[in-house]
Amino acid sequence: MHRRRRTALSVSAAFLVAGPLLAGCGSQAHPGAAAVIDGQRIEVAALQAQVKDVRSAQEASPQAAELVKATGDLNREKLNGMIFDRVVEKVAADHGITASRKEVQETRRSAARQTGGEEQLAAMLLQQQGVAPDEIDAVVRRNVLMNKIAEKLGATNTPEGQKKLTEVFAAASKALDIEVNPRYGTWDNDKIQLGEYRAPWIREQGAQQQM
């Protein structure tokens, strides 16, 4: 899965999931929806609110131009994360896994200590993953759930373990009957990501290989 996609199913200490805003006309069947998951809508307005939060945080940074350039496909990136979060929630629910507020806060404090403080943690997540400050708890919660899922499934950070996780997540993704507004691409249940989404690190790696 994407390093954001790939790390999504890879348990590690790192936290897990730009361009102009797209007008939200929605699809014919679901006007105004960026995606519909198990009958529940992700509104275009909700997606754009996340994009706006990230853009505001980026513009307040001394590295604003660099940060914006590094997240050139921010609409798809955020939608990819919003959908993937729903898949994580389903897998967790299917296996009786929860993440308490205390666990989230303890994990966040630990991450902040490792990165040099809350300010440094926020800067790192904004730079590396396009995460706005008010989204950090959600990212931490996803990480807690992912680690618990991997532990319960006995899925180690090996090719075999990753294969097992991928199969479980792909099955959950298919069960959710995910439909995406065509302007954002299509959802790939087997890869568990937007089919037309490519993370910046993938493009950068490709460019380096061509040099």
Side-chain angles (χ1 to χ4, degrees):
M1 313 193 73
H2 61 88
R3 184 174 176 180
R4 262 164 236 198
R5 173 175 68 83
R6 198 176 132 200
T7 48
L9 294 189
S10 179
V11 180
S12 68
F15 281 110
L16 305 183
V17 179
L21 292 176
L22 298 175
C25 65
S27 65
Q28 275 191 336
H30 306 284
V36 178
I37 305 168
D38 198 25
Q40 297 182 344
R41 298 159 60 95
I42 293 178
E43 301 290 350
V44 171
L47 170 61
Q48 291 185 341
Q50 283 206 10
V51 172
K52 183 178 179 181
D53 283 347
V54 174
R55 285 287 180 246
S56 295
Q58 289 175 334
E59 289 166 2
S61 168
Q63 294 83 35
E66 179 183 342
L67 292 176
V68 171
K69 183 179 180 181
T71 50
D73 204 3
L74 190 54
N75 285 279
R76 287 185 176 86
E77 180 175 330
K78 301 311 289 184
L79 182 58
N80 190 80
M82 293 170 82
I83 297 173
F84 184 75
D85 279 344
R86 302 287 183 91
V87 180
V88 173
E89 293 287 349
K90 176 168 176 53
V91 174
D94 288 347
H95 291 83
I97 293 169
T98 60
S100 69
R101 178 170 178 77
K102 181 179 179 181
E103 288 173 313
V104 171
Q105 293 305 312
E106 287 178 348
T107 302
R108 177 169 178 167
R109 283 194 293 269
S110 176
R113 285 194 298 269
Q114 292 177 34
T115 55
E118 276 286 338
E119 186 175 340
Q120 288 79 4
L121 175 63
M124 182 193 74
L125 290 174
L126 179 64
Q127 179 180 17
Q128 296 183 2
Q129 301 184 32
V131 174
D134 61 359
E135 297 171 349
I136 294 177
D137 276 355
V139 173
V140 174
R141 185 174 187 278
R142 181 199 303 167
N143 192 62
V144 171
L145 289 174
M146 288 297 304
N147 278 281
K148 284 188 169 186
I149 290 167
E151 182 178 359
K152 185 157 189 177
L153 294 178
T156 56
N157 196 16
T158 63
E160 294 77 15
Q162 293 300 295
K163 183 174 184 293
K164 184 174 184 179
L165 280 175
T166 300
E167 289 172 350
V168 169
F169 275 74
S173 180
K174 291 172 184 175
L176 287 172
D177 191 24
I178 298 168
E179 181 182 351
V180 176
N181 185 319
R183 70 173 56 228
Y184 302 108
T186 56
W187 184 257
D188 188 321
N189 287 313
D190 294 321
K191 294 182 178 179
I192 320 170
Q193 69 167 13
L194 280 172
E196 297 177 14
Y197 169 68
R198 286 178 63 81
W201 77 272
I202 296 176
R203 293 195 293 271
E204 292 168 4
Q205 183 182 65
Q208 290 173 356
Q209 290 174 344
Q210 293 173 4
M211 291 177 64

